[in-house]
């Protein structure tokens, strides 16, 4: 018996060491083979995590920008990334992450090439990552249940506000309604579920997303205040990959001038993008 | 004469009305200009001595074109690193504005290009303004320039507290050369940033207390639930056994995470609304109750049948035999497994962070999200370990003691996995302490 268990222990130890080695090996190989060295077509000179594919990291609970339809991501961002990738001669793929882990994961590298997650370009984030040129405008909003007496931000003093962790909505609520208790959720849809369940009194969130959520009448929610913040979303790119940033910006400009961007915009928002 | 007076009266009335109309027109106009009612200045840091982001939101009046604003911050403010950006909006429609920033001493001058159009919302964001260490209620004043000249900016106030003890430690650490060297190593900076350790410890402490409170209430509630279910499962009546089995199997067969979501998002939809803390306690207790039921049942059934028969032969009833003979022996046997279950449940309180309960994990997640650094997770790990490591050691000791006391007998009938795994140990210990077997353990061969 004891002899037997010694062998089992030895085998387990070897297996553990082997796994550790495998992990180390894998991580170093992803780091060293990101893409396309040597004989590749002139178009795809940018480095991507998976050769030939532009992988986007995204918090896919943010309709109409990105949401999961079964196993596939769909939404405005998904279509724009697909068009951008096509322009770059790449395929595109979406991977789901929690919003507040997107920037650290992008910096750590090896998981995805860009962040496409309705992410507002702001100075704090720019310190950590680069952003493509803006691809859409956004604002903030306050949503409540239909039965709520809350009419505007001022009515939320001392109340509970649901937000998505790490978002500009969270920042706005923290700075503009300092007496309120902020309840951060992993994703926007959880914050709205908590609002429906009466766990929070309001949700402060990006206006286009809130508008899409409250459109579903079965939720029994309404937007009581639109907050003009003039935010703009951009695709996040690692500071270590300036070539990719340039390529994404170039492709974005091309799909905007070709009208493909307008088609995608119309598909998801029902109207043509307002010209400035 | 009379008519004249009357007409003069009318004239006066007319003039008054005119004046009122003008006032009525002018007042709202005045209320729309830069710095008028509705103007806000918000800050992102609640304590002084930190690089603070100021967001100034106002609106231009009709006919008022704004070329620039010169913000004058209170004495002691350092604007050397300050930068600014701005956006103007008409309704929800934004337009791009580029901003030239001139920071000097305590003032930050921003010049807009193009100029801000009349009747639009203007948001100016000033980054990295180092506020005074002392904090308190402070005033930002200054001037703004329109097409008609320079005007005084209506002053705005903001309030910051004095830095907390941990922030002071953070400031002190910021100045240490050793800390700078330490933080220049990416892995040390990411997981063990000294400044963030100092700041995280007090923030996470309250989350830790809440985690302890959750488990401190939930576990004692789970024990009677588990014991009752264990007896139901051993009942002679089949339907009673089925109910107990159904409860145990459903709870043990589904993730706690799913149970939490059902309780927090599902129950309120059917009108069952409970505050977060009691609801969290209930979910944890109901979950743990099912596991404890199986632990107790296995423990009770591991006591040799002979014990029960002996108790009956002494004229004890079933209840008496349970209370005086079986349960006391069971307690000793299940104590290690119960403690392990406690450790598991304590760690599982982290799942409640997903539904907005500010326990330890939630606080750590928030800190990590705010700072983009995972040092808070390391601190949280230490907080969890402060509870779990002593308990893990205690379980080890309990098991050892159990092994010693049952060493002489080495009961093969034990059904719990833990005591089963212990048998080898018990046998190994047996030769040394051959007479350590408790006299009431008649399970010898």
């Amino acid at each position: 018996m004891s002899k037997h268990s010694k062998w089992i222990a030895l085998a387990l130890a070897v297996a553990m060491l082997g796994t550790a080695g495998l992990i180390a090996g894998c991580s170093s190989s992803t780091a060293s083979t990101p893409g396309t060295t040597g004989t590749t077509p002139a178009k795809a000179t940018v480095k991507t995590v998976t050769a030939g594919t532009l992988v986007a990291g995204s918090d896919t609970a943010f309709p109409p920008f990105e949401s999961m339809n079964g196993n596939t991501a769909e939404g405005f961002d998904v279509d724009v990334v697909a068009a951008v990738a096509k322009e770059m001669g790449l395929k595109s793929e979406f991977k789901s992450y929690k919003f507040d882990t997107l920037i650290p994961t992008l910096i750590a590298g090896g998981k995805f090439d860009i962040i496409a997650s309705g992410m507002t370009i702001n100075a704090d984030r720019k310190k950590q990552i680069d952003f493509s040129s803006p691809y859409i405008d956004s604002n903030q909003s306050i949503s409540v249940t239909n039965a709520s007496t809350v009419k505007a931000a001022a009515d939320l003093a001392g109340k509970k506000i649901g937000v998505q962790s790490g978002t500009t909505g969270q920042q706005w609520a923290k700075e503009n309604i300092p007496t309120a208790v902020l309840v951060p959720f992993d994703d926007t849809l959880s914050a709205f579920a908590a609002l429906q369940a009466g766990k929070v009194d309001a949700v402060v969130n990006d206006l286009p997303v809130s508008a899409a959520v409250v459109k579903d009448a079965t939720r029994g929610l309404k937007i009581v205040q639109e907050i003009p913040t003039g935010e703009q979303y951009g695709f996040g790119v690692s500071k270590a990959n300036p070539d990719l940033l340039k390529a994404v910006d170039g492709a974005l400009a091309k799909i905007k001038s070709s009208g493909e961007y307008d088609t995608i915009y119309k598909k998801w928002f029902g109207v043509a993008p307002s010209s400035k | 004469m009379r008519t004249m007076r009357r007409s003069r009266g009318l004239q006066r009335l007319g003039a008054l009305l005119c004046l009122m109309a003008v006032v009525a027109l002018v007042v709202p106009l005045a209320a729309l200009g830069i710095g008028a009612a509705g103007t806000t200045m918000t800050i992102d840091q609640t304590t002084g001595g930190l690089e603070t982001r100021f967001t100034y939101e106002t609106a231009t009046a009709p006919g008022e074109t704004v070329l620039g604003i010169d913000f004058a911050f209170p004495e002691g403010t350092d604007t050397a690193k300050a930068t600014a950006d701005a956006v103007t909006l008409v309704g929800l429609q934004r337009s791009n504005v580029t901003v030239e920033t001139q920071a000097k001493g305590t003032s930050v001058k921003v010049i807009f290009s193009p100029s801000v159009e009349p009747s639009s919302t203007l948001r100016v964001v000033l980054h990295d303004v180092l506020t005074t260490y002392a904090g308190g209620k402070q005033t930002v004043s200054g001037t703004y320039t329109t097409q008609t000249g320079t005007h005084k900016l209506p002053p705005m106030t903001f309030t910051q507290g004095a830095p907390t003890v941990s922030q002071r430690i953070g400031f002190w650490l910021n100045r240490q050369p050793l800390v700078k060297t330490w933080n220049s190593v990416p892995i040390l900076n990411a997981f063990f940033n000294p400044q963030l350790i100092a700041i995280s410890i007090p923030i996470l402490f309250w989350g830790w207390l809440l985690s302890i409170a959750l488990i401190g209430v939930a576990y004692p509630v789970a024990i009677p639930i588990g014991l009752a279910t264990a007896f139901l499962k051993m009942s002679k009546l089949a339907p009673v056994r089925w109910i107990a089995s159904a409860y145990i199997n459903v709870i043990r067969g589904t993730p706690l995470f799913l149970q939490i979501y059902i309780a927090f998002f599902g129950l309120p939809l059917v009108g069952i609304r409970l505050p977060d803390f009691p609801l969290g306690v209930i979910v944890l207790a109901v979950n743990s109750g099912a596991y404890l039921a199986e632990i107790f049942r296995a423990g009770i059934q591991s006591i040799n049948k002979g014990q029960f028969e002996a108790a009956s032969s002494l004229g004890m009833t079933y209840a008496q035999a349970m209370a005086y003979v079986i349960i006391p022996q069971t307690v000793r046997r299940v104590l290690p497994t119960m403690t392990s279950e406690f450790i598991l449940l304590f760690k599982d309180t982290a799942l409640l962070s997903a539904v907005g309960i500010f326990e330890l994990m939630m606080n750590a997640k928030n800190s990590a999200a705010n700072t983009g650094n995972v040092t808070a997770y390391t601190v949280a790990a230490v907080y969890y370990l402060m509870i779990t490591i002593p308990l893990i050691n205690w379980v080890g000791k309990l098991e050892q003691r159990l092994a010693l006391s049952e060493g002489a007998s080495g009961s093969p009938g034990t059904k719990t996995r833990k005591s089963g795994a212990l048998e080898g140990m018990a046998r190994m210990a047996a030769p040394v302490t051959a007479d350590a077997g408790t006299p009431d353990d008649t399970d010898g061969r």
Side-chain angles (χ1 to χ4, degrees):
Chain A
M1 178 68 186
S2 70
K3 220 177 197 177
H4 213 108
S5 58
K6 243 184 224 166
W7 282 110
I8 292 173
L10 188 67
L12 276 174
V14 169
M16 276 171 77
L17 278 176
T19 317
L22 206 65
I23 289 167
C26 279
S27 55
S28 67
S29 75
T30 43
S32 63
T33 56
T36 48
T37 41
T39 57
T40 39
K43 212 168 187 184
T45 49
V46 294
K47 282 188 200 162
T48 56
V49 172
T50 313
T53 307
L54 184 67
V55 182
S58 181
D59 164 43
T60 46
F62 206 59
F65 294 99
E66 45 265 320
S67 57
M68 294 308 287
N69 183 357
N71 281 328
T72 46
E74 62 171 26
F76 178 76
D77 287 357
V78 180
D79 287 355
V80 172
V81 168
V84 163
K86 206 174 107 199
E87 201 61 54
M88 292 161 67
L90 302 170
K91 286 184 294 187
S92 67
E93 187 190 330
F94 263 65
K95 280 192 187 169
S96 291
Y97 289 85
K98 293 292 166 209
F99 189 79
D100 55 11
T101 66
L102 284 169
I103 291 179
T105 312
L106 179 69
I107 294 170
K111 299 281 185 199
F112 49 81
D113 305 303
I114 63 168
I115 295 172
S117 196
M119 187 178 274
T120 298
I121 303 169
N122 70 22
D124 288 344
R125 291 174 180 153
K126 268 195 199 159
K127 283 179 185 164
Q128 306 178 59
I129 58 171
D130 284 338
F131 278 100
S132 72
S133 48
Y135 64 89
I136 195 165
D137 295 351
S138 182
N139 288 293
Q140 291 296 319
S141 64
I142 299 174
S143 311
V144 297
T145 55
N146 281 337
S148 173
T149 54
V150 171
K151 297 235 160 28
D155 303 330
L156 286 170
K159 296 234 164 105
K160 274 180 149 183
I161 302 179
V163 293
Q164 184 182 10
S165 178
T167 57
T168 46
Q170 182 181 23
Q171 274 180 2
W172 188 90
K174 183 184 157 208
E175 291 169 25
N176 288 273
I177 318 172
T179 56
V181 179
L182 295 197
V183 186
F185 291 89
D186 276 347
D187 63 70
T188 298
L189 295 182
S190 295
F192 280 104
L195 178 60
Q196 280 174 267
K199 293 275 159 212
V200 293
D201 300 301
V203 167
V204 173
N205 185 53
D206 295 23
L207 177 59
V209 176
S210 298
V213 171
V214 304
K215 216 194 243 171
D216 175 5
T218 59
R219 288 179 180 265
L221 304 176
K222 60 181 178 186
I223 292 174
V224 285
Q225 191 182 347
E226 295 177 333
I227 305 158
T229 55
E231 296 168 43
Q232 291 182 306
Y233 296 162
F235 299 120
V237 181
S238 168
K239 281 189 189 288
N241 205 346
D243 291 342
L244 178 63
L245 180 67
K246 226 180 278 171
V248 168
D249 271 342
L252 198 55
K254 265 189 200 156
I255 65 161
K256 274 185 178 170
S257 61
S258 73
E260 192 172 359
Y261 174 89
D262 292 3
T263 314
I264 298 170
Y265 193 101
K266 189 129 198 273
K267 174 180 165 192
W268 290 102
F269 298 101
V271 290
S274 47
S275 53
K276 275 172 272 167
Chain B
M1 187 70 181
R2 225 177 179 181
T3 48
M4 249 183 84
R5 198 188 276 166
R6 198 170 180 187
S7 70
R8 259 167 73 181
L10 268 177
Q11 261 179 359
R12 246 186 231 162
L13 191 70
L16 195 70
L17 277 175
C18 255
L19 192 71
M20 272 167 71
V22 167
V23 168
L25 264 173
V26 166
V27 167
L29 287 189
L32 275 172
I34 289 278
T39 298
T40 58
M41 174 169 260
T42 58
I43 47 172
D44 70 331
Q45 302 287 0
T46 50
T47 52
L50 298 169
E51 281 173 359
T52 305
R53 184 182 69 241
F54 286 81
T55 308
Y56 179 70
E57 191 174 321
T58 188
T60 51
E64 182 183 52
T65 304
V66 178
L67 312 174
I69 302 181
D70 193 350
F71 292 99
F73 285 92
E75 205 56 45
T77 310
D78 183 0
T79 62
K81 281 195 203 163
T83 55
D85 54 64
V87 58
T88 66
L89 297 105
V90 175
L92 292 172
Q93 187 62 49
R94 63 167 274 148
S95 358
N96 285 327
V97 177
T98 49
V99 179
E100 190 194 322
T101 317
Q102 295 170 356
K104 212 167 91 185
T106 60
S107 87
V108 183
K109 189 174 185 183
V110 292
I111 299 154
F112 307 114
S113 99
S115 306
V116 181
E117 297 286 315
S119 306
S120 39
T121 306
L122 169 65
R123 271 171 69 92
V124 184
V125 185
L126 304 169
H127 303 276
D128 300 334
V129 176
L130 186 61
T131 55
T132 59
Y133 198 75
K137 191 170 181 175
Q138 299 168 75
T139 306
V140 180
S141 53
T143 55
Y144 66 99
T145 313
T146 64
Q147 78 279 22
T148 59
T150 301
H151 313 273
K152 239 177 138 59
L153 191 69
M156 281 132 325
T157 58
F158 68 96
T159 308
Q160 286 188 320
T164 60
V165 173
S166 59
Q167 279 171 331
R168 275 166 216 253
I169 296 172
F171 293 150
W172 180 80
L173 287 168
N174 276 339
R175 294 193 297 269
Q176 306 308 309
L178 182 67
V179 171
K180 276 181 194 149
T181 320
W182 174 279
N183 285 341
S184 65
V185 182
I187 189 164
L188 295 180
N189 180 42
F191 289 93
F192 307 100
N193 181 300
Q195 291 96 320
L196 291 175
I197 290 177
I199 290 167
S200 299
I201 285 173
I203 295 175
L204 297 197
F205 178 75
W206 299 106
W208 186 58
L209 284 192
L210 185 60
S211 291
I212 292 174
L214 281 165
I215 186 88
V217 181
Y219 197 69
V221 173
I223 291 173
I225 295 177
L227 204 55
T229 313
F231 280 114
L232 292 182
K233 182 128 191 235
M234 291 185 294
S235 163
K236 289 196 181 78
L237 293 169
V240 175
R241 283 202 306 273
W242 295 338
I243 292 170
S245 293
Y247 161 59
I248 293 172
N249 290 342
V250 167
I251 295 293
R252 297 212 319 166
T254 53
L256 175 56
F257 201 45
L258 179 126
Q259 294 160 17
I260 287 172
Y261 265 57
I262 287 179
F264 277 77
F265 297 133
L267 293 186
L269 293 182
V270 292
I272 304 170
R273 284 164 200 273
L274 282 173
D276 283 349
F277 185 83
L279 190 56
V281 164
I282 289 170
V283 180
L284 291 175
V286 167
N287 178 274
S288 196
Y291 286 90
L292 287 176
E294 284 297 88
I295 292 170
F296 291 147
R297 187 188 58 79
I300 290 167
Q301 289 179 345
S302 79
I303 305 296
N304 194 285
K305 231 180 168 183
Q307 295 278 313
F308 209 86
E309 285 158 3
S312 307
S313 75
L314 289 174
M316 287 191 183
T317 62
Y318 176 83
Q320 281 173 325
M322 271 292 166
Y324 299 115
V325 181
I326 309 294
I327 301 274
Q329 294 184 67
T330 307
V331 167
R332 214 188 44 201
R333 282 198 182 165
V334 300
L335 210 49
T337 332
M338 273 180 75
T339 314
S340 299
E341 168 60 20
F342 179 89
I343 294 170
L344 286 177
L345 193 65
F346 177 62
K347 290 186 294 182
D348 282 346
T349 57
L351 295 174
L352 290 169
S353 66
V355 289
I357 293 189
F358 275 88
E359 45 63 72
L360 183 48
M361 183 66 200
M362 179 68 142
N363 280 287
K365 251 178 20 173
N366 263 350
S367 295
N370 289 341
T371 58
N373 181 300
V374 294
T375 300
Y377 291 145
T378 313
V379 176
V382 173
Y383 270 122
Y384 280 115
L385 290 173
M386 273 162 63
I387 297 288
T388 54
I389 293 270
L391 283 174
I392 289 168
N393 282 334
W394 192 56
V395 171
K397 283 208 186 99
L398 278 178
E399 287 178 340
Q400 225 164 2
R401 214 178 297 158
L402 183 74
L404 289 178
S405 65
E406 297 197 350
S409 58
S411 149
T414 47
K415 291 213 176 65
T416 56
R417 217 176 124 240
K418 271 276 139 60
S419 41
L422 276 171
E423 275 165 27
M425 245 171 95
R427 287 210 192 88
M428 276 158 65
V432 192
T433 56
D435 52 355
T438 42
D440 63 347
D441 204 335
T442 55
D443 187 25
R445 275 172 296 166

